Each structure stands twice: as structure tokens, then as C-alpha cells.
Amino acid sequence: VKNERFIGIERCYSAHRDGAKTFLPVQVGLCAARRDPTRSSAGSSHWILSPISLYVFPRDIAGAERHFSVSAATMVFLDQNGFNFNDWVRHGLGWLRPTEEEEKRRSVQQRIDEVSRLKQAAANAASDATSQPAATPMDIPEGVDRAAIDSYRTQIQEWLQSPTNAPLEIPMENAFQRLLMHTVIAQEFPQVYSHSSRRDGERFLCVYKSQAEVYEEQLRGLQREMDAIDEEVGVRSLTDEITRSQKPLVGHNCFYDFLHLYQTFYADLPESIQDFKASWLQLFPQTLDTKYLAEAHELLVGLQPPANLKGLCDFMVQASKTESSPGPLPVTFEVNTLTDADYKLPQPRATGSSGDPVSGEDTDASHEAGYDALMTAMVLVHQMSHILGKKRIPWEQVDFGPLRKRAADDPRRSLTEMLPLSVNRIRLVKAQPNVINLSGRDEADMSRHFLMAGYPPSWKKWDLMKVWSPLWVGLSYIDDTSCWVIARNEADALSIQKIYKMIEDPSFNLLTYEEHKAAQGEAATAPQLRA
């Protein structure tokens, strides 16, 4: 998958789906971003960023082992970037998928209902109970177990003679002795009831003066099991909160990340991309890809920002300081530390007169999941400040919640309304089309793709864009001298062909997608010369 290029979204999805089902995410980074209106004024906006990085490791659930593959190259990469494999195995959080959680809760609830019925039946029969004489003590052979049983007998007798109504709890780790004591109590102390219990990893034999108390303790134990399921849900509880609040989920170049998120924490990825889209939107109806936003939004693409996350973050921080009018809305940030990790705001590295980085404190922690999430949050805020500034829209008019009906005089708009051509569009790497629309039909059918090949390797993005001016086209690079040119609509596709025909002595070749496929077919069937 890593080095292959894909023609068609279904093929791209199928390949990445196989990868997500084979491998496992080892670390999840999240960063909650909150605008503080009490510290925002005069068009400026103060943001509180709360990043966290969590190790993810599969825990055995009810004896069901999980298996996954490991890439040697990935292991080396993680090691070179400070990944702690011991902490991953020892402290990595497990998870339950929704179906696993539902099954466990249903099983515990069935037992709660059964014990509740037994408790009610015992209460109804209590008035009809008659005392039973104690039987002859059981004959226990000489040995360690007999000495222990005699000690337990004594404790029960003393407890019965005391005025307390509290249950008797006897620490008892030995399973055989617990089994033996249940038999002893049933035969020698028929007026009381016994029950084995576990609390905080310690085993007890509990003795009660009424059967109702036994059932109450069983219900308390079952409720503890139900509460423990909340912890077993693990990492998914955080993403579930995003779903419940209908907040946007933001990533950078994140299609593969989203597939891993779904496959690991929710369910097996569906066979078709359309089924995945439908399932994904039920969980996350608003997603944003800062890479796609940087490369496709009309107010950002002209900046020609870098493609990688660290470079884009540094670039947007610098771009926020421009004095143009209208310029970006002023923003400030602070980091709210949630764990022992010491996250710091990314700072662009200073350069000397030669352009080389100068020595100083390096805050770059790229590839650490929480830090990458922190940078992604900063990038989106800066991108939004740039867009809002150009459109002269204040932050107060941005609603980061779900789509909702509003009064005619309500100026607020959701992200989907603010960025209708960007929300739920995710960049695809080494694929054509190079973007997927998660919320609808993929607009980029191949009839609007053109192979532009043979242009000078010195040409940059803006040189390529000028060729097709005044049209606005998308570009997807293949190598230094070729790329795909993507028209926005059918009319622009026709115009691209007309512009190419009008160029005298073009320094490149242009093929439609069909012409490209035909040329590939001819090359494949051409006879091969043999020496």
C-alpha cells in the first residue's frame, strides 16, 4: 500500500481497508480546542488547547485474544521518535467495540434481573420460614484445611452470638476452602447464608443472617461489574463524547487515520466505500482535513503553504502576523496540560541570514500523537482566522456544533455552512481522484482528470496554475515533471482542452484520463524485442 498509486476511490479504499484490518494503532492523540469568550475582545480570539496522548494496547476480553501484524520499518520509526514500547504494553488502554460493550452489558443485566427476582421471592417466603436444627459437624480430615475450617467455624459462632446485623466477611483466597466452607455452613449453620465475593482483587467468604442480604451483595457485585464495563470501553469513550456532542472531528491528511479509528474502536470496515460513508456519518457528521483545506479553499490555496503538518503549522503561525487588510483575525493560545506530559506551543524555528536554522530550544515533538493533535488544532484555528478575516466575519458567528434550525435574524453558522466545499472532504494520497467526499457523491469523476506530463522540473505549483488561468484547477503531483490536473466541473474540463489547443508549442503533453488508459493498454500489449 505504501508505495502504490491508486486509480479510483474504491480501489484506494479497498487497499487501505486491508491495511487497517491488518495493523493496529499504537497511540491515539487528541486535542480539545475551546475558545474562551471572556478573554477574547476587539476581534481577537483566545483558545485553550488540551492535548493528550494515549497508548493503545489490546487487552484480552473474557479470554478472547487479539492478534495484529507488525511492520519492522514502523517499529524502527517509532523507536527513533521516542516511542516507549514498555509503557505501551504495560499501560496501554484497551477498548470495547459497541457490539462488545452491548453484549457484556446485556449479560450482566440479565444476571441482575435474575437475582432481583430471587430476592423478591425470598422476601415473600421469609414469613413462612421455620428454623432448622443444626446438623452434626462435618468430619474434616486432619491437616491444614481442618485447622482453617475450625478457625472459620469459631468466627461464625462468635458472630452469631454478637448483636450485630452486619454480614461477616472472612478473607479467604483458597478456592477449595471456600467451597468446603459453603458446605459446612449449609450443614452446620442452616439459619445463615453464605456467598463468595471479590473486592479490589481480594477474595472473601461472606456470611449473612438473611437470604435477602446475600442477594443484595450479589446485586452490588453485579453493579460493580457494570461499572467496570465503563472502564473497559477505554479510548472509545473519548470519541463517543465527540459523537454525542456532534462536534467536528479534525485531522491532517487523515483518511487512513479515520479508517483505523473505525476499524479498531467501532466495527469491521464495510466492503464498499459507500457503506463506510454512511456508517461514518452516523458517528461523525462533520469532519475536516486541514491538508485538504490548505490545498483547496480559495482563500488559503493562494498562500501556497507546505503540505506536511509541522511545515503547515509553522507557515500558518507566520502568516497570522501579516499586516494585509483585511488580514487574519488575531488569535492567541494556551496549553491546558491534562497529564504529566509537558506540551508546549509549537514555535517556528528561527533562521539566520543564510536561511539556516539557528541554535536554540527546539519544541518540535512531531510524530508524538498528542503533539501532532495540538498542531492540527492550531492549524485549523489559524486557517479559520484567515478565512474569517478575509470575509470580515467575527468568531462569534461560528457555531462548532451540529447543523440546526435558526431564526432568520440569527447570524451564527455551523462549520458545514461556513465551509460547504471543505467539510467532509478528505485528501487521498497517491490516488486519483485525490479527494473523497464522505457526505455525498464523489464529485471528482475521472472525466475531469487530465495527465499533464513533460513540463520542466523547475516549475512550481503557481507555474502550473498559471497555465490554466483563469480557471481554478486542482493539482495532484506524480513526480517532478508530471501531475494530474482536475477540473471543477464539466465546463472547466472542456475549457482545459481548449486552452491546451490554443498553446503554441506547449512544453508539456496533456492527455485525458481515457487517452492515458488507452496509452497504457497499448504499451502493455506492444511486442517486446528480444536480443
Side-chain angles (χ1 to χ4, degrees):
V1 173
K2 182 176 180 181
N3 297 314
E4 188 173 355
R5 295 182 179 273
F6 306 102
I7 301 297
I9 286 179
E10 282 287 356
R11 184 182 172 195
C12 178
Y13 170 74
S14 178
H16 287 309
R17 171 180 173 269
D18 290 343
K21 296 184 73 172
T22 302
F23 298 100
L24 181 77
V26 296
Q27 199 175 42
V28 172
L30 295 171
C31 182
R34 178 172 64 88
R35 191 177 72 88
D36 186 353
T38 65
R39 300 168 65 182
S40 305
S41 60
S44 67
S45 185
H46 184 77
W47 288 82
I48 300 174
L49 307 179
S50 303
I52 190 171
S53 183
L54 302 169
Y55 287 117
V56 178
F57 190 80
R59 301 297 171 190
D60 291 348
I61 303 299
E65 293 187 1
R66 300 181 191 261
H67 300 270
F68 59 93
S69 298
V70 174
S71 163
T74 300
M75 297 283 278
V76 172
F77 172 82
L78 291 172
D79 179 62
Q80 292 173 343
N81 285 276
F83 187 83
N84 191 317
F85 291 93
N86 289 330
D87 282 351
W88 172 49
V89 176
R90 293 170 184 165
H91 308 303
L93 296 178
W95 65 88
L96 289 177
R97 285 177 170 182
T99 53
E100 295 169 334
E101 178 190 359
E102 181 182 354
E103 182 179 348
K104 293 199 72 171
R105 291 193 186 280
R106 183 170 56 249
S107 175
V108 174
Q109 188 59 51
Q110 288 174 347
R111 290 154 61 198
I112 289 175
D113 294 341
E114 178 62 24
V115 173
S116 297
R117 285 193 294 269
L118 293 173
K119 178 183 175 183
Q120 184 60 46
N124 296 336
S127 58
D128 299 329
T130 58
S131 59
Q132 303 177 36
T136 303
M138 286 182 60
D139 184 20
I140 309 294
E142 288 286 350
V144 177
D145 292 328
R146 177 172 177 174
I149 298 302
D150 287 343
S151 172
Y152 300 147
R153 280 189 179 119
T154 301
Q155 291 184 57
I156 294 173
Q157 289 165 351
E158 292 174 352
W159 172 71
L160 286 172
Q161 294 170 6
S162 70
T164 182
N165 288 320
L168 173 65
E169 293 186 346
I170 306 175
M172 198 176 301
E173 293 295 333
N174 189 299
F176 176 72
Q177 290 180 4
R178 288 198 305 272
L179 179 61
L180 197 56
M181 277 305 300
H182 284 304
T183 305
V184 169
I185 290 171
Q187 181 170 322
E188 300 179 20
F189 304 97
Q191 73 276 34
V192 300
Y193 304 88
S194 61
H195 170 64
S196 293
S197 178
R198 178 198 292 270
R199 186 170 61 254
D200 297 330
E202 188 174 0
R203 288 281 193 177
F204 295 89
L205 178 76
C206 300
V207 188
Y208 306 88
K209 291 184 177 180
S210 74
Q211 194 170 25
E213 291 180 286
V214 179
Y215 293 137
E216 287 172 3
E217 175 58 29
Q218 289 178 336
L219 289 173
R220 284 192 291 270
L222 289 170
Q223 187 56 53
R224 287 193 293 269
E225 285 189 39
M226 190 70 84
D227 294 340
I229 296 175
D230 294 334
E231 295 185 11
E232 292 179 11
V233 170
V235 179
R236 205 195 83 230
S237 61
L238 297 175
T239 54
D240 280 353
E241 189 59 35
I242 300 174
T243 298
R244 278 190 291 269
S245 63
Q246 297 289 280
K247 297 294 185 182
L249 180 64
V250 183
H252 179 86
N253 195 21
C254 47
F255 183 59
Y256 200 28
D257 298 328
F258 287 172
L259 295 187
H260 266 299
L261 178 67
Y262 187 91
Q263 172 68 32
T264 303
F265 302 125
Y266 289 95
D268 285 342
L269 286 164
E271 291 287 341
S272 77
I273 184 65
Q274 297 303 326
D275 289 342
F276 168 70
K277 289 181 183 181
S279 299
W280 179 262
L281 290 176
Q282 293 295 317
L283 298 168
F284 307 106
Q286 294 188 98
T287 51
L288 272 172
D289 181 356
T290 55
K291 179 179 174 67
Y292 177 74
L293 196 60
E295 296 176 352
H297 194 280
E298 64 273 15
L299 295 179
L300 298 176
V301 69
L303 301 176
Q304 300 188 59
N308 68 80
L309 178 57
K310 173 60 177 170
L312 178 59
C313 184
D314 290 348
F315 180 90
M316 294 308 299
V317 170
Q318 293 289 359
S320 68
K321 301 174 183 178
T322 58
E323 300 294 334
S324 61
S325 181
L329 298 180
V331 293
T332 55
F333 299 94
E334 70 172 281
V335 176
N336 174 36
T337 302
L338 299 176
T339 63
D340 294 336
D342 184 20
Y343 289 106
K344 296 180 181 179
L345 291 173
Q347 298 293 335
R349 296 190 65 180
T351 56
S353 58
S354 63
D356 296 327
V358 299
S359 61
E361 183 180 4
D362 187 2
T363 61
D364 182 18
S366 301
H367 307 305
E368 197 276 340
Y371 188 80
D372 282 356
L374 173 65
M375 287 195 294
T376 301
M378 285 187 65
V379 166
L380 179 66
V381 171
H382 279 303
Q383 288 176 327
M384 289 297 297
S385 75
H386 195 94
I387 294 170
L388 296 175
K390 293 293 184 181
K391 293 186 175 183
R392 302 182 186 275
I393 298 174
W395 280 104
E396 289 75 15
Q397 292 185 17
V398 183
D399 181 358
F400 288 94
L403 280 168
R404 64 188 90 200
K405 292 183 178 179
R406 305 181 191 277
D409 58 349
D410 188 347
R412 293 176 300 167
R413 295 292 181 267
S414 70
L415 274 184
T416 300
E417 295 167 310
M418 287 278 187
L419 306 170
L421 299 180
S422 302
V423 170
N424 291 329
R425 268 72 168 183
I426 309 298
R427 172 66 73 205
L428 301 179
V429 178
K430 297 180 180 179
Q432 288 302 323
N434 63 356
V435 61
I436 181 173
N437 178 10
L438 295 175
S439 58
R441 177 180 173 271
D442 291 302
E443 308 98 335
D445 67 81
M446 299 309 293
S447 66
R448 293 188 278 114
H449 283 63
F450 299 87
L451 178 63
M452 182 177 179
Y455 55 79
S458 61
W459 279 17
K460 304 301 181 185
K461 181 176 182 179
W462 199 245
D463 298 312
L464 298 170
M465 298 287 286
K466 286 192 298 183
V467 172
W468 311 111
S469 178
L471 299 179
W472 193 267
V473 298
L475 299 176
S476 179
Y477 294 99
I478 299 174
D479 53 37
D480 289 342
T481 61
S482 59
C483 68
W484 288 97
V485 178
I486 304 103
R488 291 187 299 180
N489 50 50
E490 294 181 2
D492 283 1
L494 292 173
S495 297
I496 285 175
Q497 296 182 72
K498 291 179 181 178
I499 291 173
Y500 180 66
K501 291 178 180 178
M502 293 170 59
I503 298 175
E504 295 184 6
D505 193 21
S507 55
F508 59 88
N509 295 318
L510 187 74
L511 298 177
T512 66
Y513 174 71
E514 292 300 326
E515 290 170 341
H516 165 65
K517 292 296 289 184
Q520 282 189 322
E522 291 175 3
T525 57
Q528 302 294 315
L529 295 177
R530 296 180 180 272

